[in-house]
């Protein structure tokens, strides 16, 4: 599901995901076609809930998760502020199920 879905296509990655040690989180920066920038943060524990068993947290996977969070945030709340956290997305539980290949009950 993660590679076949084009999450947040109007946003380009301006800073690839990296571990933020002080927050035990990952962060990436995205830029909208209208030059709006936003940073998306996700706690490592939440990120691991997106993984199938034995799946590694490589850069591509983390970026796809953060793009999905960004896409859902825009649908739910509109243009994001400069910084958002994944937990602000109401559909986070459903996204986790999509990435694991099953919908939550």
């Amino acid at each position: 599901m993660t590679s076949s879905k084009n999450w947040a296509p109007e946003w380009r990655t301006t800073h690839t995901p990296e571990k933020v040690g002080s927050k035990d989180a990952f962060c990436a920066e995205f830029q909208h076609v209208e030059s709006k920038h936003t940073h998306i943060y996700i706690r490592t524990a939440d990120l691991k809930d997106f993984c199938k068993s034995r799946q590694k947290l490589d850069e591509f996977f983390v970026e796809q998760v953060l793009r999905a969070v960004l896409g859902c945030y825009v649908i739910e709340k509109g243009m994001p502020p400069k910084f958002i956290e994944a937990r602000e997305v109401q559909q986070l539980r459903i996204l986790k199920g999509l990435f694991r290949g099953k919908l939550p009950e």
Side-chain angles (χ1 to χ4, degrees):
M1 175 81 189
T2 58
S3 60
S4 63
K5 175 77 173 156
N6 190 11
W7 298 105
E10 61 281 353
W11 294 81
R12 73 177 179 91
T13 306
T14 54
H15 193 269
T16 57
E18 63 181 32
K19 182 94 163 128
V20 180
S22 63
K23 290 190 170 200
D24 191 27
F26 284 84
C27 177
E29 180 184 44
F30 299 93
Q31 180 182 14
H32 190 263
V33 294
E34 297 174 359
S35 298
K36 171 91 172 157
H37 286 263
T38 191
H39 292 81
I40 312 293
Y41 289 90
I42 188 166
R43 292 178 342 137
T44 304
D46 288 329
L47 183 60
K48 288 179 180 178
D49 289 342
F50 280 82
C51 298
K52 296 177 183 176
S53 62
R54 299 187 191 133
Q55 185 169 4
K56 295 186 180 184
L57 296 177
D58 64 21
E59 185 179 300
F60 177 78
F61 178 78
V62 175
E63 182 175 344
Q64 290 304 301
V65 169
L66 292 173
R67 283 186 159 282
V69 168
L70 175 58
C72 285
Y73 186 96
V74 169
I75 290 168
E76 291 175 9
K77 301 178 182 184
M79 192 64 75
K82 190 168 183 171
F83 300 97
I84 65 170
E85 296 217 17
R87 290 185 157 218
E88 296 176 40
V89 173
Q90 295 173 358
Q91 300 294 320
L92 193 62
R93 189 170 146 251
I94 292 171
L95 278 178
K96 290 175 182 179
L98 287 173
F99 274 78
R100 285 191 318 265
K102 57 185 175 186
L103 292 174
E105 296 177 15

